[in-house]
Structure formats: structure tokens, C-alpha cells
Amino acid sequence: MMGSDAGISGTAEARGRRPVRAKQERSGEVQSVARAGQLLNRVVDAPAGLTLTELAETTALNISTVHRLLRTLCSQGLLCRDPVSERFLPGPVLLRLARRSLVSAGLPEVTDALRALVERTGETATIGVRRGGDVVVGLAVSSPDPFRYNATQGARTRLLRSALGLAILAFDRTPLEDVADSAADHTELLSVQFRGYAVLDAPDTPGLRAVAVPLIADGAPTTMAVEVQGPAARITDDRLDDIADTVREAAHRLQDLPVSLLISEI
């Protein structure tokens, strides 16, 4: 009887301990995530990164715990360690998450800027980005007019054969003689610089005209431009300066948005 009672008692204790251990393990997993989150926050808030010792001090965590968590975060790409300074910095996965966040936040604003341009000019608006010797349509908003130009996202055109490309080349830091294929191209690029915007009557589509303005960032190469494109019967010579001013306002607005990130994701 006593042996039997002892056996039952031992089983009950064993059964009672298992849930406690499981609960402790679950608690440890959550605690680990919370501690890892502390480390990520500290690193993100430190532009130059932080060392192992600094992270242990700022989080008040045991240095061996911090070392173990950092090793895991680095293995998953959330952090990385500079081999020279031995400071921990945001890793490729964390940077990719930040990039996606910027894109998600910027997409509505970029689209709104193009829509406003369409409303003010009545023509289709597009953003183009340089890809080698071509310009690629990254984003477009079509005109509501039945007789309109329909831009195709991802369409490629040679830089010198599009208003977007001419605007980019004219305001890039590369000497014009290095990008012009002919004397006529060189003269056209000089005209774009003088006017401050590019105008092109589409050589393959008679009656189609585009007006483009570059997106210029301080100290960075010019790789993007914004344009409106529509029938030359509506984009007449006497309206060019006014339309260009409207496109220029859109370009200034777009320069403050993560357009390059957005386009790279499309």
C-alpha cells in the first residue's frame, strides 16, 4: 500500500512538474524575443552601431546572453558585425524590411503626385528611371481623356529618344559630348539645359508630344524624371512653359519621396 501510494504520489508530482517546465520554456521563448527586440532597438538608434559591451550595458543584460542573442540575430540577417570596429549594425534583412516600409509609405504619395499632375494638365503622367542606356517607365497614371497616351509600366526607350531620357541626360553630371550620339543630340541636350525641361515629339507616333523635368537630388547623379505626354494638339507651343512649370512642381514634390526605392520594387 505504501509503495503503491508512493508510486501514485511520484506520478502526480511528475505530472505536476511537466506543465510548469513547459510554462517556463514558453516564458523563456517570449523573453528571448523581447530581449532580442531590445538589442535591435539599441542598434537601430545608434548610427555608428554598438559593441557587445555597449549593448550589454545599455540593456542591463548578462553579456553571455547578449552574445548568444547577437549571434542568432546575425545568423538570421537582422544584424551584422563590422569586422574592423566590431560594432553591430543593421543587417540585410532589417534593411530590407525598412526598405519595404518606405515603399509602402511612399507609394500613395507618389501616386497622388502623379494624379495631381494629370488633373492639372489633363495628360498622362509617368515617372522614368535610367537603366543603362534606356529609360524605363516605373509608374504611370493615365489621363481620363478618351484621346490620350497610354503608358506601359516597364516600357523601355533609348535615353536620347524620349523626353524622360533627355531630361535625365541633360542634367546628369556626365559631359554632354560623352552621351550625345550626334551633333543634333548635343544641341538638343543644350536646349534642354537652357529651358530647364525636355520636349519631344515622338518620332514613331506622329502627333504625340511629351514634356519632362528631371528629379534632381543634391550631390547625387540624375537618374529619374517625370513627364506628361499627350496629343500635340493639346500640348501646344504656347502652353509649353506653363505645362513645364506644372511638371516641375510635381518633380519638386517627388524629390522628397522614396521614389527610387518604390521604382526598384515595381
Side-chain angles (χ1 to χ4, degrees):
M1 292 285 294
M2 289 181 61
S4 177
D5 289 342
I8 293 172
S9 174
T11 302
E13 289 177 5
R15 288 176 179 170
R17 282 196 300 269
R18 276 197 293 268
V20 172
R21 282 200 300 269
K23 183 177 180 181
Q24 289 174 342
E25 289 171 1
R26 286 195 298 271
S27 176
E29 289 175 359
V30 174
Q31 190 175 53
S32 296
V33 173
R35 288 173 172 175
Q38 290 180 34
L39 296 176
L40 289 172
N41 274 297
R42 296 298 191 282
V43 171
V44 169
D45 289 340
L50 293 169
T51 64
L52 170 64
T53 303
E54 289 170 338
L55 282 166
E57 290 175 350
T58 59
T59 57
L61 295 174
N62 183 284
I63 195 164
S64 61
T65 299
V66 173
H67 181 268
R68 184 172 63 254
L69 290 170
L70 289 173
R71 185 172 56 189
T72 303
L73 291 170
C74 287
S75 71
Q76 297 303 311
L78 291 164
L79 293 180
C80 63
R81 191 175 192 180
D82 186 290
V84 178
S85 67
E86 296 190 344
R87 290 179 173 273
F88 289 90
L89 301 164
V93 173
L94 201 60
L95 292 174
R96 194 159 70 246
L97 287 170
R99 179 175 174 172
R100 284 185 177 274
S101 177
L102 278 173
V103 169
S104 298
L107 179 56
E109 292 186 67
V110 172
T111 305
D112 286 347
L114 290 183
R115 285 194 182 121
L117 185 54
V118 172
E119 290 174 2
R120 294 186 62 185
T121 63
E123 308 301 342
T124 296
T126 61
I127 297 176
V129 61
R130 182 175 185 172
R131 292 285 187 264
D134 297 337
V135 60
V136 180
V137 174
L139 196 62
V141 175
S142 295
S143 165
D145 196 288
F147 187 48
R148 64 175 180 264
Y149 166 69
N150 290 311
T152 303
Q153 188 172 298
R156 303 176 73 100
T157 309
R158 298 300 295 173
L159 287 165
L160 289 166
R161 298 298 172 260
S162 74
L164 288 168
L166 290 172
I168 291 170
L169 290 175
F171 290 91
D172 191 17
R173 293 178 295 188
T174 306
L176 297 186
E177 54 268 21
D178 292 344
V179 298
D181 291 339
S182 64
D185 290 336
H186 189 273
T187 300
E188 180 61 31
L189 290 172
L190 285 174
S191 297
V192 174
Q193 286 184 342
F194 177 77
R195 287 192 305 262
Y197 61 88
V199 180
L200 183 71
D201 292 315
D204 301 327
T205 311
L208 184 65
R209 173 173 280 184
V211 178
V213 173
L215 272 64
I216 301 175
D218 292 340
T222 302
T223 59
M224 291 182 293
V226 59
E227 74 172 4
V228 293
Q229 194 163 177
R234 292 200 300 253
I235 305 178
T236 54
D237 291 346
D238 61 314
R239 293 188 64 211
L240 283 179
D241 286 342
D242 289 340
I243 290 175
D245 285 342
T246 303
V247 178
R248 190 176 292 109
E249 289 176 18
H252 287 319
R253 179 178 175 185
L254 289 165
Q255 283 167 194
D256 297 327
L257 300 174
V259 180
S260 60
L261 297 180
L262 181 149
I263 289 177
S264 69
E265 291 285 328
I266 294 175

